[in-house]
Amino acid sequence: MSKDKFTILKSTAVPLPVENIDTDQIIPARFLKATTREGFGENLFRDWRFTSDNQPVKDFVLNNPAFGGKILVAGKNFGCGSSREHAAWAIYDYGFRVVVSSFFADIFKNNALNNAVLPVVVSDKFLQTLLEAIQQNPKTEVTVDLINQQISVNGKSEKFEINAYKKECLINGYDDIDYLLSLNKEIREFDLAH
Amino acid sequence: MSEQKPKTIFEKIWDAHVVKRADGYPDALFIDRHFIHEVTSPQAFDGLRKRGIKVFNVNRTTATADHNVPTKDQHLPIKEALSRHQVETLRKNCKEFGVELYDLGHPFQGIVHIIGPELGLTQPGMTMVCGDSHTSTHGAFGSVAFGIGTSEVEQVLATQCILQYKPKTMKIEINGKLGKGVVSKDIILYIISKISASGATGFFVEYAGDAIRNLSMEARMTICNMSIEMGARGGLIAPDETTFRYMKGRRFAPQGEAFDKAVEKWKQLPSDEGAVYDVVLKYDAADIEPMITYGTNPGMGMKVTDRIPTVEELKEINEQASFKKSLDYMGLEPGSALLGKPVDYVFIGSCTNARIEDLRLVASIVKGKKKAENVEVWVIPGSKQVEEQALKEGLNKVFEEAGFELRGPGCSACLGMNEDKVPPGKYCISTSNRNFEGRQGPKSRTFLASPLSAAVAAITGKVTDVREFI
């Protein structure tokens, strides 16, 4: 789905230093019953955010008014488990445009990129630097520069990898289907010969 | 003519399906078979409508309803309004776009990864996708099968292709003889416990070695099914005589002469001698024992007779906080054993372990016995055909006498989405694939294990070493 264009983002960030955050935590299965892409943000991290009687869990970071912003900083192996794209939709719908971690699960990474959410892979060391900076001062701003593939906080920065094609898609708001549809003739021939 | 570079089976299949490879772009990979279900397809069909395009090739697309269906009273309308709406949306979309649907009540309905193989839709050498991470199951036939997101479902519906970067390759070899009470579920839980829930991320895995070769097709499917639980893009096993025997006569498999021709082609698939993998891991089958998980990701597993590690035993300091959080959730103490721990529920089902052989394994343990009073036991066949076969073999009587509940097919309590949920705080020993927080229902606690271990726990009412029973 083509969406907003992404070049540079400067924002405060939300720290969530938990490892192996699976997509069942990001959006539990019982909230996957909608047939549209919107509205999933309401239930982002539902069972960490709310008690069983729908009261906010006080010590969960999304309920802490000190923290906010468009960048989520999480522990390694973010987005493992189910292929549900609803996880990327929920993150987008809540207002995040970047997730930073030292490691992402493959399917989540693709889903995020297909929904204008930029997954930024940093070293374990830089992840710690980021988390410490944000936790010490929630007003700390983090800059994510897609053009130069660089993430910075408090004067420290690190380069991040992204493949050239996906980078171009994000910068221009293109999606994969546009490219594949342009190959229609070749695909038809392949299908017939196969 | 120079000799061709030896290729792995994965590379042979992938390369044969590349429609377009361009510098800087991911490969446009042709998809032979696309499975869809009610949860991850509605937004994709909406996308097609918005663009005003049709499904590229309906003959390569098959739909079923599985995630959101009740397992009781399947002939009645679905009670829960949102679930009913989602299944009805699938019906409407399949009708509008001309896609074959094995709906509730259809003799072929069932969990998407169970019905593909049993119908012969899954074949060696194919590329296959589905909006479900356990699509890796189909790799057991020597196919490149992997889970995708909904935007990708839309891509495949629209163009029969997907844009993908070729993953790296990993070979996992298991040689030797499996011990008493050890089945394929234990093999895969063992591998994941060794390499962690992210140990194969970025890789496509090939399982090899004589311990794998000696497994039945259904047992192989259990192994490939859980490839995603170590982060792998997919997992496959080269086809052999076991594969061809299983395929023969299946409804959508090639028939007669065409089948023999297909077999000749399939025989060319196994990796060439000297093919190079990015990573090779080797394990001894004799080291594998009945396994159980204790934490909240499938990598947190151990031998059923072991004890949970202590915080100090963890290799990485960074892991400590997540480890403590996990055990807190599970209500377990670091360093404690699980043997003898009472369980409240036993779930036998899911795309991992709900095939007829799984049900037979369970029946072999419980025949003539009764379940413990403290447990509730659900047996959920993976498909209508598995259910029919279980009835034909009289397994239903064995389960009935044991006090187990045999229900209709579906994903059931694997994912806490439909009516079947484990209540908060309760322990469930489960043959499914994920022990994530809340996976089987909010605040539910899951121990993943084999059908044998689950069956024996149903009888004793607690975590038990199945070897004491056989």
Side-chain angles (χ1 to χ4, degrees), chain B residues 318-365:
Chain B
N318 289 349
E319 282 175 15
Q320 290 185 354
S322 298
F323 178 80
K324 280 188 215 153
K325 180 178 187 299
S326 181
L327 287 197
D328 238 24
Y329 179 87
M330 290 297 291
L332 298 171
E333 287 298 322
S336 66
L338 277 188
L339 270 185
K341 172 94 187 162
V343 295
D344 308 294
Y345 286 79
V346 175
F347 172 59
I348 291 154
S350 88
C351 54
T352 314
N353 280 122
R355 285 167 283 267
I356 191 67
E357 285 180 14
D358 300 313
L359 269 48
R360 285 181 195 140
L361 274 182
V362 172
S364 73
I365 294 277

CSV table of all heavy atoms in Angstrom, one decimal, chain B residues 318-365:
chain,number,residue,atom,x,y,z
B,318,ASN,N,22.1,-9.1,28.8
B,318,ASN,CA,20.9,-8.4,28.3
B,318,ASN,C,19.6,-9.3,28.3
B,318,ASN,O,18.5,-8.7,28.3
B,318,ASN,CB,21.2,-8.1,26.8
B,318,ASN,CG,22.2,-7.0,26.6
B,318,ASN,OD1,22.6,-6.4,27.6
B,318,ASN,ND2,22.7,-6.8,25.4
B,319,GLU,N,19.8,-10.6,28.3
B,319,GLU,CA,18.6,-11.5,28.3
B,319,GLU,C,17.9,-11.6,29.6
B,319,GLU,O,16.8,-12.0,29.7
B,319,GLU,CB,19.1,-12.9,27.9
B,319,GLU,CG,19.3,-13.0,26.4
B,319,GLU,CD,19.9,-14.4,26.1
B,319,GLU,OE1,19.8,-15.3,26.9
B,319,GLU,OE2,20.4,-14.6,25.0
B,320,GLN,N,18.6,-11.2,30.7
B,320,GLN,CA,18.1,-11.5,32.0
B,320,GLN,C,16.8,-10.9,32.3
B,320,GLN,O,15.9,-11.6,32.8
B,320,GLN,CB,19.1,-11.0,33.1
B,320,GLN,CG,20.4,-11.9,33.1
B,320,GLN,CD,21.4,-11.6,34.2
B,320,GLN,OE1,21.1,-10.6,34.9
B,320,GLN,NE2,22.4,-12.3,34.3
B,321,ALA,N,16.6,-9.6,31.9
B,321,ALA,CA,15.3,-9.0,32.2
B,321,ALA,C,14.1,-9.7,31.5
B,321,ALA,O,13.1,-9.9,32.1
B,321,ALA,CB,15.3,-7.5,31.8
B,322,SER,N,14.4,-10.0,30.2
B,322,SER,CA,13.3,-10.7,29.4
B,322,SER,C,13.0,-12.1,30.0
B,322,SER,O,11.9,-12.5,30.0
B,322,SER,CB,13.7,-10.8,28.0
B,322,SER,OG,13.9,-9.5,27.4
B,323,PHE,N,14.1,-12.7,30.5
B,323,PHE,CA,14.0,-14.1,31.0
B,323,PHE,C,13.1,-14.0,32.3
B,323,PHE,O,12.2,-14.8,32.5
B,323,PHE,CB,15.4,-14.6,31.3
B,323,PHE,CG,15.4,-16.0,32.0
B,323,PHE,CD1,15.2,-17.1,31.2
B,323,PHE,CD2,15.6,-16.1,33.4
B,323,PHE,CE1,15.3,-18.4,31.8
B,323,PHE,CE2,15.6,-17.4,34.0
B,323,PHE,CZ,15.4,-18.5,33.2
B,324,LYS,N,13.4,-13.1,33.2
B,324,LYS,CA,12.6,-12.9,34.4
B,324,LYS,C,11.2,-12.6,34.1
B,324,LYS,O,10.3,-13.1,34.8
B,324,LYS,CB,13.2,-11.8,35.3
B,324,LYS,CG,14.5,-12.3,36.0
B,324,LYS,CD,14.9,-11.2,37.0
B,324,LYS,CE,16.4,-11.1,37.2
B,324,LYS,NZ,16.9,-9.8,37.5
B,325,LYS,N,11.0,-11.7,33.2
B,325,LYS,CA,9.6,-11.3,32.8
B,325,LYS,C,8.8,-12.6,32.3
B,325,LYS,O,7.7,-12.8,32.7
B,325,LYS,CB,9.7,-10.3,31.6
B,325,LYS,CG,8.3,-9.8,31.1
B,325,LYS,CD,8.6,-8.7,30.1
B,325,LYS,CE,7.3,-8.0,29.6
B,325,LYS,NZ,6.3,-8.9,29.0
B,326,SER,N,9.5,-13.4,31.5
B,326,SER,CA,8.9,-14.6,31.0
B,326,SER,C,8.5,-15.6,32.1
B,326,SER,O,7.4,-16.1,32.1
B,326,SER,CB,9.9,-15.2,30.0
B,326,SER,OG,9.4,-16.3,29.4
B,327,LEU,N,9.4,-15.8,33.0
B,327,LEU,CA,9.1,-16.8,34.0
B,327,LEU,C,8.1,-16.3,35.0
B,327,LEU,O,7.2,-17.0,35.5
B,327,LEU,CB,10.4,-17.2,34.8
B,327,LEU,CG,11.4,-18.1,34.1
B,327,LEU,CD1,12.3,-18.7,35.0
B,327,LEU,CD2,10.7,-19.2,33.3
B,328,ASP,N,8.1,-15.0,35.2
B,328,ASP,CA,7.1,-14.3,36.0
B,328,ASP,C,5.7,-14.6,35.4
B,328,ASP,O,4.7,-14.9,36.1
B,328,ASP,CB,7.3,-12.8,35.9
B,328,ASP,CG,7.5,-12.2,37.3
B,328,ASP,OD1,7.9,-13.0,38.2
B,328,ASP,OD2,7.3,-11.0,37.5
B,329,TYR,N,5.6,-14.4,34.1
B,329,TYR,CA,4.3,-14.6,33.4
B,329,TYR,C,3.9,-16.1,33.6
B,329,TYR,O,2.7,-16.3,33.8
B,329,TYR,CB,4.5,-14.3,31.9
B,329,TYR,CG,3.2,-14.5,31.1
B,329,TYR,CD1,2.3,-13.5,31.0
B,329,TYR,CD2,3.0,-15.7,30.5
B,329,TYR,CE1,1.1,-13.7,30.4
B,329,TYR,CE2,1.8,-16.0,29.9
B,329,TYR,CZ,0.9,-15.0,29.8
B,329,TYR,OH,-0.3,-15.2,29.1
B,330,MET,N,4.9,-17.0,33.5
B,330,MET,CA,4.5,-18.4,33.5
B,330,MET,C,4.3,-18.9,35.0
B,330,MET,O,3.8,-20.0,35.2
B,330,MET,CB,5.7,-19.2,32.9
B,330,MET,CG,5.8,-19.1,31.4
B,330,MET,SD,4.4,-19.7,30.5
B,330,MET,CE,4.5,-21.5,30.8
B,331,GLY,N,4.6,-18.0,35.9
B,331,GLY,CA,4.5,-18.4,37.3
B,331,GLY,C,5.4,-19.5,37.7
B,331,GLY,O,5.1,-20.4,38.5
B,332,LEU,N,6.6,-19.5,37.2
B,332,LEU,CA,7.6,-20.5,37.4
B,332,LEU,C,8.9,-19.9,38.1
B,332,LEU,O,9.2,-18.8,37.8
B,332,LEU,CB,8.0,-21.3,36.1
B,332,LEU,CG,6.8,-22.0,35.4
B,332,LEU,CD1,7.3,-22.4,34.0
B,332,LEU,CD2,6.3,-23.2,36.2
B,333,GLU,N,9.6,-20.8,38.8
B,333,GLU,CA,10.8,-20.3,39.5
B,333,GLU,C,12.0,-20.7,38.6
B,333,GLU,O,12.1,-21.9,38.2
B,333,GLU,CB,11.0,-21.0,40.8
B,333,GLU,CG,10.0,-20.5,41.9
B,333,GLU,CD,10.2,-19.0,42.2
B,333,GLU,OE1,11.4,-18.6,42.2
B,333,GLU,OE2,9.2,-18.3,42.4
B,334,PRO,N,13.0,-19.8,38.5
B,334,PRO,CA,14.2,-20.2,37.8
B,334,PRO,C,14.9,-21.3,38.6
B,334,PRO,O,14.8,-21.4,39.8
B,334,PRO,CB,15.1,-18.9,37.9
B,334,PRO,CG,14.2,-17.8,38.1
B,334,PRO,CD,13.0,-18.4,38.8
B,335,GLY,N,15.4,-22.3,37.9
B,335,GLY,CA,16.1,-23.4,38.5
B,335,GLY,C,15.2,-24.6,38.9
B,335,GLY,O,15.7,-25.6,39.4
B,336,SER,N,13.9,-24.4,38.7
B,336,SER,CA,13.0,-25.5,39.2
B,336,SER,C,12.8,-26.5,38.0
B,336,SER,O,13.0,-26.2,36.9
B,336,SER,CB,11.7,-24.9,39.6
B,336,SER,OG,11.0,-24.3,38.5
B,337,ALA,N,12.2,-27.6,38.4
B,337,ALA,CA,11.9,-28.7,37.4
B,337,ALA,C,10.4,-28.6,37.0
B,337,ALA,O,9.6,-28.0,37.8
B,337,ALA,CB,12.2,-30.0,38.0
B,338,LEU,N,10.1,-29.1,35.9
B,338,LEU,CA,8.7,-29.1,35.5
B,338,LEU,C,8.0,-30.4,35.7
B,338,LEU,O,6.8,-30.5,35.8
B,338,LEU,CB,8.5,-28.7,34.0
B,338,LEU,CG,8.6,-27.3,33.6
B,338,LEU,CD1,8.2,-27.1,32.2
B,338,LEU,CD2,7.6,-26.5,34.5
B,339,LEU,N,8.8,-31.5,35.8
B,339,LEU,CA,8.2,-32.8,36.0
B,339,LEU,C,7.3,-32.8,37.3
B,339,LEU,O,7.7,-32.3,38.3
B,339,LEU,CB,9.3,-33.9,36.3
B,339,LEU,CG,9.8,-34.6,35.1
B,339,LEU,CD1,10.8,-35.7,35.5
B,339,LEU,CD2,8.7,-35.2,34.2
B,340,GLY,N,6.0,-33.3,37.1
B,340,GLY,CA,5.1,-33.3,38.3
B,340,GLY,C,4.3,-32.1,38.4
B,340,GLY,O,3.4,-32.0,39.2
B,341,LYS,N,4.6,-31.0,37.6
B,341,LYS,CA,3.8,-29.8,37.6
B,341,LYS,C,2.4,-30.1,37.1
B,341,LYS,O,2.2,-30.5,36.0
B,341,LYS,CB,4.5,-28.7,36.7
B,341,LYS,CG,3.7,-27.5,36.5
B,341,LYS,CD,4.1,-26.4,37.5
B,341,LYS,CE,3.2,-25.2,37.4
B,341,LYS,NZ,3.3,-24.4,38.6
B,342,PRO,N,1.3,-29.8,37.9
B,342,PRO,CA,0.0,-30.0,37.4
B,342,PRO,C,-0.4,-29.1,36.3
B,342,PRO,O,0.0,-28.0,36.2
B,342,PRO,CB,-0.9,-29.7,38.7
B,342,PRO,CG,0.0,-29.7,39.8
B,342,PRO,CD,1.4,-29.3,39.3
B,343,VAL,N,-1.2,-29.7,35.3
B,343,VAL,CA,-1.7,-28.9,34.2
B,343,VAL,C,-3.2,-28.9,34.3
B,343,VAL,O,-3.8,-29.7,34.9
B,343,VAL,CB,-1.2,-29.4,32.8
B,343,VAL,CG1,0.3,-29.3,32.7
B,343,VAL,CG2,-1.7,-30.8,32.6
B,344,ASP,N,-3.8,-27.8,33.7
B,344,ASP,CA,-5.3,-27.7,33.7
B,344,ASP,C,-5.9,-28.1,32.4
B,344,ASP,O,-7.0,-28.6,32.4
B,344,ASP,CB,-5.6,-26.2,34.0
B,344,ASP,CG,-4.9,-25.7,35.2
B,344,ASP,OD1,-5.2,-26.2,36.3
B,344,ASP,OD2,-4.0,-24.8,35.1
B,345,TYR,N,-5.2,-27.9,31.3
B,345,TYR,CA,-5.7,-28.1,30.0
B,345,TYR,C,-4.7,-28.9,29.2
B,345,TYR,O,-3.5,-28.8,29.3
B,345,TYR,CB,-6.1,-26.8,29.2
B,345,TYR,CG,-7.3,-26.2,29.8
B,345,TYR,CD1,-7.3,-25.4,31.0
B,345,TYR,CD2,-8.5,-26.3,29.1
B,345,TYR,CE1,-8.4,-24.8,31.5
B,345,TYR,CE2,-9.7,-25.7,29.6
B,345,TYR,CZ,-9.6,-25.0,30.8
B,345,TYR,OH,-10.7,-24.4,31.3
B,346,VAL,N,-5.3,-29.7,28.3
B,346,VAL,CA,-4.4,-30.4,27.3
B,346,VAL,C,-5.0,-30.1,25.9
B,346,VAL,O,-6.2,-30.4,25.7
B,346,VAL,CB,-4.4,-31.9,27.5
B,346,VAL,CG1,-3.6,-32.6,26.4
B,346,VAL,CG2,-3.8,-32.2,28.9
B,347,PHE,N,-4.2,-29.5,25.0
B,347,PHE,CA,-4.7,-29.2,23.7
B,347,PHE,C,-3.9,-30.0,22.7
B,347,PHE,O,-2.7,-29.9,22.5
B,347,PHE,CB,-4.5,-27.7,23.4
B,347,PHE,CG,-4.8,-27.3,22.0
B,347,PHE,CD1,-6.1,-27.6,21.4
B,347,PHE,CD2,-3.9,-26.7,21.2
B,347,PHE,CE1,-6.4,-27.2,20.1
B,347,PHE,CE2,-4.2,-26.4,19.8
B,347,PHE,CZ,-5.4,-26.6,19.3
B,348,ILE,N,-4.7,-30.9,22.0
B,348,ILE,CA,-4.1,-31.7,20.9
B,348,ILE,C,-4.7,-31.2,19.6
B,348,ILE,O,-5.9,-31.4,19.3
B,348,ILE,CB,-4.3,-33.2,21.1
B,348,ILE,CG1,-3.5,-33.6,22.4
B,348,ILE,CG2,-3.9,-34.0,19.9
B,348,ILE,CD1,-4.0,-34.8,23.1
B,349,GLY,N,-3.9,-30.5,18.8
B,349,GLY,CA,-4.4,-29.9,17.6
B,349,GLY,C,-3.3,-29.0,17.0
B,349,GLY,O,-2.2,-29.1,17.3
B,350,SER,N,-3.8,-28.1,16.0
B,350,SER,CA,-3.0,-27.1,15.3
B,350,SER,C,-2.3,-27.7,14.0
B,350,SER,O,-2.2,-28.9,13.9
B,350,SER,CB,-2.0,-26.4,16.2
B,350,SER,OG,-0.7,-27.2,16.2
B,351,CYS,N,-1.8,-26.8,13.2
B,351,CYS,CA,-1.1,-27.2,12.0
B,351,CYS,C,0.2,-27.9,12.3
B,351,CYS,O,0.7,-28.6,11.4
B,351,CYS,CB,-0.9,-26.0,11.1
B,351,CYS,SG,0.0,-24.6,11.8
B,352,THR,N,0.6,-27.9,13.5
B,352,THR,CA,1.8,-28.6,13.9
B,352,THR,C,1.5,-30.1,14.1
B,352,THR,O,2.3,-31.0,13.7
B,352,THR,CB,2.4,-28.0,15.2
B,352,THR,OG1,2.5,-26.6,15.0
B,352,THR,CG2,3.8,-28.5,15.4
B,353,ASN,N,0.5,-30.4,14.8
B,353,ASN,CA,0.2,-31.8,15.3
B,353,ASN,C,-1.3,-32.1,15.3
B,353,ASN,O,-1.8,-32.5,16.4
B,353,ASN,CB,0.8,-32.0,16.7
B,353,ASN,CG,2.3,-32.2,16.7
B,353,ASN,OD1,3.0,-31.5,17.4
B,353,ASN,ND2,2.8,-33.2,16.0
B,354,ALA,N,-1.9,-32.0,14.2
B,354,ALA,CA,-3.4,-32.4,14.2
B,354,ALA,C,-3.7,-33.3,13.0
B,354,ALA,O,-4.8,-33.3,12.5
B,354,ALA,CB,-4.3,-31.2,14.2
B,355,ARG,N,-2.6,-34.0,12.5
B,355,ARG,CA,-2.9,-35.0,11.4
B,355,ARG,C,-3.2,-36.4,12.0
B,355,ARG,O,-3.1,-36.6,13.2
B,355,ARG,CB,-1.6,-35.0,10.6
B,355,ARG,CG,-1.5,-33.8,9.7
B,355,ARG,CD,-0.1,-33.7,9.0
B,355,ARG,NE,0.8,-33.2,9.9
B,355,ARG,CZ,1.1,-31.9,10.1
B,355,ARG,NH1,0.6,-31.0,9.3
B,355,ARG,NH2,2.0,-31.5,11.0
B,356,ILE,N,-3.6,-37.3,11.2
B,356,ILE,CA,-4.1,-38.6,11.7
B,356,ILE,C,-3.1,-39.3,12.5
B,356,ILE,O,-3.4,-39.9,13.5
B,356,ILE,CB,-4.7,-39.4,10.5
B,356,ILE,CG1,-5.5,-40.6,11.1
B,356,ILE,CG2,-3.6,-39.9,9.5
B,356,ILE,CD1,-6.7,-40.3,11.8
B,357,GLU,N,-1.8,-39.2,12.1
B,357,GLU,CA,-0.7,-39.9,12.8
B,357,GLU,C,-0.6,-39.4,14.2
B,357,GLU,O,-0.3,-40.1,15.2
B,357,GLU,CB,0.6,-39.8,12.1
B,357,GLU,CG,0.7,-40.7,10.9
B,357,GLU,CD,2.1,-40.5,10.2
B,357,GLU,OE1,3.0,-40.0,10.8
B,357,GLU,OE2,2.2,-41.0,9.0
B,358,ASP,N,-0.8,-38.1,14.4
B,358,ASP,CA,-0.8,-37.5,15.7
B,358,ASP,C,-1.9,-38.0,16.6
B,358,ASP,O,-1.7,-38.3,17.8
B,358,ASP,CB,-0.9,-35.9,15.6
B,358,ASP,CG,0.2,-35.3,14.8
B,358,ASP,OD1,1.4,-35.7,15.0
B,358,ASP,OD2,-0.1,-34.5,13.9
B,359,LEU,N,-3.1,-38.1,16.0
B,359,LEU,CA,-4.2,-38.6,16.7
B,359,LEU,C,-4.0,-40.1,17.1
B,359,LEU,O,-4.4,-40.5,18.2
B,359,LEU,CB,-5.5,-38.4,15.9
B,359,LEU,CG,-6.3,-37.1,16.2
B,359,LEU,CD1,-5.4,-35.9,16.2
B,359,LEU,CD2,-7.5,-36.9,15.3
B,360,ARG,N,-3.4,-40.8,16.2
B,360,ARG,CA,-3.1,-42.2,16.5
B,360,ARG,C,-2.1,-42.3,17.6
B,360,ARG,O,-2.2,-43.2,18.5
B,360,ARG,CB,-2.5,-42.9,15.2
B,360,ARG,CG,-3.5,-43.2,14.2
B,360,ARG,CD,-2.9,-43.9,13.0
B,360,ARG,NE,-3.7,-44.0,11.8
B,360,ARG,CZ,-3.3,-43.8,10.6
B,360,ARG,NH1,-2.0,-43.6,10.3
B,360,ARG,NH2,-4.1,-43.8,9.6
B,361,LEU,N,-1.1,-41.5,17.6
B,361,LEU,CA,-0.1,-41.5,18.7
B,361,LEU,C,-0.8,-41.3,20.1
B,361,LEU,O,-0.5,-42.0,21.0
B,361,LEU,CB,0.9,-40.4,18.5
B,361,LEU,CG,2.2,-40.6,17.7
B,361,LEU,CD1,3.0,-39.3,17.7
B,361,LEU,CD2,3.0,-41.8,18.1
B,362,VAL,N,-1.7,-40.3,20.1
B,362,VAL,CA,-2.4,-40.0,21.3
B,362,VAL,C,-3.2,-41.2,21.7
B,362,VAL,O,-3.2,-41.6,22.9
B,362,VAL,CB,-3.3,-38.7,21.1
B,362,VAL,CG1,-4.2,-38.5,22.3
B,362,VAL,CG2,-2.4,-37.5,20.9
B,363,ALA,N,-3.9,-41.7,20.8
B,363,ALA,CA,-4.8,-42.9,21.1
B,363,ALA,C,-4.0,-44.1,21.6
B,363,ALA,O,-4.5,-44.8,22.5
B,363,ALA,CB,-5.6,-43.3,19.8
B,364,SER,N,-2.8,-44.2,21.1
B,364,SER,CA,-2.0,-45.4,21.5
B,364,SER,C,-1.6,-45.3,23.0
B,364,SER,O,-1.4,-46.3,23.7
B,364,SER,CB,-0.7,-45.5,20.7
B,364,SER,OG,0.2,-44.4,21.0
B,365,ILE,N,-1.5,-44.1,23.5
B,365,ILE,CA,-1.2,-43.9,24.9
B,365,ILE,C,-2.4,-44.0,25.8
B,365,ILE,O,-2.4,-44.5,26.9
B,365,ILE,CB,-0.6,-42.4,25.1
B,365,ILE,CG1,0.8,-42.3,24.4
B,365,ILE,CG2,-0.5,-42.1,26.6
B,365,ILE,CD1,1.9,-42.9,25.2
